[in-house]
Amino acid sequence: MKISVVKNILEANDRIAQDNRALFDEKDLTVINLMSSPGAGKTTLLEKTIDALKEDVRIGVIEGDIQSSQDAERIAHKGIPVVQINTGGACHLDGNMIRATFHEFDFDALDLLVVENVGNLVCPAEFKVGEDFKVMILSVTEGDDKPSKYPLMFHESKVLLINKIDLLPYVDCSIDIIRTEALKINPHLTLFEISCKTGEGLESWYTWLKDKVRKRRPAFIAKE
Amino acid sequence: MKISVVKNILEANDRIAQDNRALFDEKDLTVINLMSSPGAGKTTLLEKTIDALKEDVRIGVIEGDIQSSQDAERIAHKGIPVVQINTGGACHLDGNMIRATFHEFDFDALDLLVVENVGNLVCPAEFKVGEDFKVMILSVTEGDDKPSKYPLMFHESKVLLINKIDLLPYVDCSIDIIRTEALKINPHLTLFEISCKTGEGLESWYTWLKDKVRKRRPAFIAKE
């Protein structure tokens, strides 16, 4: 009984996510669903990525938080369109919540939409929002046992950004173990080792992301 | 409709948690529900606490993880009773899961039962398991905006352990902001600043916890 309720909720969400996806396709919009534990660095990565790409790529952001609008305010400082969703307790974003923001955006004027999910390494991985792909961040401060303990997130993600590598000298965490264990769960995972603080490794991520946007909308990014 | 389903689940869980609580009371057992984001240091804190208290306090542990038994194995090395619950996807422990472990323990031979919840700063706060009180850990690497972004966990907890203070020189995080914001949400919160790595601050936590166990079972801890 309980299981069937959960299954129905997930199936209903998948249908709404498909509808969202159809609209994004029509608009040639690249959409990423950005996920991590609380405090792994989603908003900081987003700020850096906006700074690096905004001359070439028109970016919009949906900020998901249980409560507060601090993250949306940080993004708004970058002068790009941003909508805050407050879930009011819910531990993840779903297709309907994303859909409810559509009237706030002019999708014809965007190339990339980033959905920053609620900080949670579990539930967001179960709910599609209509994204092209999921991107997850793992901070080295969380430890190298996370892939084997939270496998779904690693399984569902296309990209794993291993963040805060500047802290490696001070924590007990092996990047090799993270890599090995994560690739065991998902051999197709693209990995980047980054530090949003020092900037190390970020250029490769920017290049990769711009390339994805360019593939969908080759006419737009003509500057390079 | 959706809200009523969630409400029924929570109410059903509250009833089971009350039944658990009644049994723990009968056995004069102190029970804590330990919660945090992934990688904030729950298992390490538990290892340290067991080492420090085990001469005086008979401790049992329930380990909650989505998958894997790494944490239970770490605790088993301490030579105390431990049971691993694998939730198989679920993002929190509930009263029923705890109840299902009861036949594995001899509660007459325990003074303190620690339930280590799934690493998640959101959902576990909603589900009682029959604990005397909730203890949460926040790592300074997660940032000082967490109380205002994840208020329920701070609201429900009796104790906040601010961990990894040895990393303060390397991260942008103000302990003062954490204190102020957390106490705004929950003025009754007891705070400890700790480093499981260096041991700083842990003595106060041990003393506080032993005192709680002693109150319930004064006859047992006679050594001091």
Side-chain angles (χ1 to χ4, degrees):
Chain A
M1 185 61 180
K2 200 177 158 192
I3 289 167
S4 86
V5 171
V6 170
K7 205 178 161 197
N8 288 347
I9 289 172
L10 287 176
E11 279 174 6
N13 182 67
D14 281 355
R15 280 195 297 277
I16 297 162
Q18 267 172 25
D19 289 347
N20 293 352
R21 178 72 260 146
L23 176 75
F24 298 148
D25 280 342
E26 196 189 301
K27 301 290 184 183
D28 284 333
L29 189 63
T30 302
V31 180
I32 69 176
N33 183 354
L34 184 60
M35 305 179 297
S36 78
S37 295
K42 292 185 295 304
T43 313
T44 306
L45 175 80
L46 201 38
E47 289 174 317
K48 297 268 180 189
T49 304
I50 292 164
D51 285 343
L53 268 63
K54 71 178 178 185
E55 295 300 311
D56 301 320
V57 181
R58 299 169 303 176
I59 307 175
V61 171
I62 297 175
E63 279 294 337
D65 284 291
I66 291 169
Q67 193 166 306
S68 90
S69 59
Q70 299 167 53
D71 290 353
E73 284 157 25
R74 286 169 60 183
I75 300 302
H77 278 125
K78 302 292 178 190
I80 67 160
V82 56
V83 175
Q84 174 80 53
I85 297 175
N86 278 149
T87 66
C91 52
H92 60 272
L93 297 177
D94 65 24
N96 249 336
M97 295 179 198
I98 299 303
R99 198 156 192 87
T101 69
F102 285 2
H103 67 282
E104 305 272 358
F105 289 104
D106 174 8
F107 288 140
D108 292 316
L110 292 182
D111 305 300
L112 173 65
L113 178 67
V114 181
V115 177
E116 185 185 331
N117 222 309
V118 176
N120 181 338
L121 208 57
V122 189
C123 319
E126 294 192 68
F127 290 83
K128 293 174 188 159
V129 298
E131 68 273 21
D132 288 272
F133 47 85
K134 295 179 167 71
V135 174
M136 71 167 290
I137 306 178
L138 180 73
S139 162
V140 297
T141 59
E142 295 175 62
D144 48 31
D145 58 350
K146 293 303 161 290
S148 56
K149 291 178 69 180
Y150 302 85
L152 186 67
M153 183 70 72
F154 292 83
H155 186 266
E156 295 296 307
S157 295
K158 189 179 181 73
V159 176
L160 166 59
L161 296 152
I162 305 172
N163 192 20
K164 306 195 190 178
I165 56 170
D166 54 291
L167 294 179
L168 277 172
Y170 316 110
V171 295
D172 300 320
C173 177
S174 153
I175 294 266
D176 283 347
I177 292 177
I178 295 175
R179 283 190 165 272
T180 307
E181 295 298 318
L183 289 168
K184 234 185 256 176
I185 294 163
N186 179 359
H188 305 293
L189 206 50
T190 300
L191 290 97
F192 298 97
E193 297 171 21
I194 64 168
S195 164
C196 286
K197 192 164 190 175
T198 67
E200 196 180 338
L202 285 173
E203 281 301 331
S204 313
W205 155 247
Y206 301 150
T207 304
W208 186 93
L209 182 58
K210 258 202 274 196
D211 192 50
K212 291 289 164 192
V213 177
R214 188 188 292 111
K215 270 187 188 144
R216 186 177 276 277
R217 209 171 244 202
F220 181 71
I221 310 179
K223 295 184 189 172
E224 304 181 304
Chain B
M1 186 63 181
K2 200 176 158 192
I3 288 167
S4 86
V5 170
V6 171
K7 205 178 159 194
N8 289 347
I9 291 172
L10 287 176
E11 278 173 6
N13 182 67
D14 281 354
R15 278 193 299 276
I16 296 161
Q18 268 171 27
D19 289 347
N20 294 352
R21 178 73 258 148
L23 177 75
F24 298 147
D25 280 343
E26 196 189 303
K27 301 289 183 183
D28 283 333
L29 188 63
T30 302
V31 181
I32 70 178
N33 183 354
L34 183 60
M35 307 180 296
S36 78
S37 295
K42 291 184 295 304
T43 313
T44 306
L45 176 79
L46 202 39
E47 288 173 318
K48 297 269 179 187
T49 304
I50 292 163
D51 285 343
L53 268 62
K54 72 178 176 186
E55 294 301 312
D56 301 319
V57 182
R58 299 169 302 174
I59 307 175
V61 171
I62 297 175
E63 279 292 337
D65 283 291
I66 292 170
Q67 196 165 304
S68 91
S69 59
Q70 299 166 53
D71 290 352
E73 285 156 24
R74 286 169 60 183
I75 298 302
H77 278 126
K78 303 292 175 189
I80 66 160
V82 57
V83 175
Q84 174 81 53
I85 297 175
N86 278 150
T87 66
C91 52
H92 61 271
L93 297 177
D94 64 25
N96 249 334
M97 296 179 197
I98 299 304
R99 196 153 194 89
T101 69
F102 285 0
H103 67 281
E104 305 273 358
F105 289 104
D106 174 8
F107 288 141
D108 291 317
L110 291 182
D111 306 299
L112 171 67
L113 178 66
V114 181
V115 177
E116 185 184 331
N117 221 307
V118 176
N120 181 336
L121 208 55
V122 187
C123 318
E126 293 191 69
F127 291 83
K128 293 174 187 159
V129 298
E131 68 273 20
D132 288 273
F133 47 86
K134 296 180 167 72
V135 173
M136 69 167 292
I137 307 178
L138 180 74
S139 162
V140 298
T141 59
E142 296 176 61
D144 49 31
D145 58 351
K146 292 303 161 290
S148 55
K149 291 178 70 182
Y150 301 86
L152 186 67
M153 184 69 74
F154 292 83
H155 186 266
E156 295 297 308
S157 295
K158 189 179 181 73
V159 176
L160 165 60
L161 295 153
I162 305 172
N163 192 20
K164 305 194 191 180
I165 57 170
D166 54 292
L167 294 178
L168 277 173
Y170 316 111
V171 296
D172 300 319
C173 177
S174 155
I175 294 265
D176 284 346
I177 292 176
I178 295 175
R179 282 190 164 271
T180 307
E181 295 299 317
L183 289 169
K184 233 185 256 176
I185 294 162
N186 180 357
H188 305 292
L189 207 50
T190 299
L191 291 96
F192 298 97
E193 298 173 19
I194 63 168
S195 164
C196 286
K197 192 164 192 175
T198 67
E200 196 181 338
L202 284 173
E203 281 301 332
S204 312
W205 155 247
Y206 300 150
T207 304
W208 186 93
L209 181 58
K210 257 201 274 193
D211 192 52
K212 292 288 164 193
V213 177
R214 189 187 293 113
K215 271 188 186 144
R216 185 177 276 276
R217 208 169 246 206
F220 182 71
I221 309 177
K223 296 184 189 174
E224 303 180 306

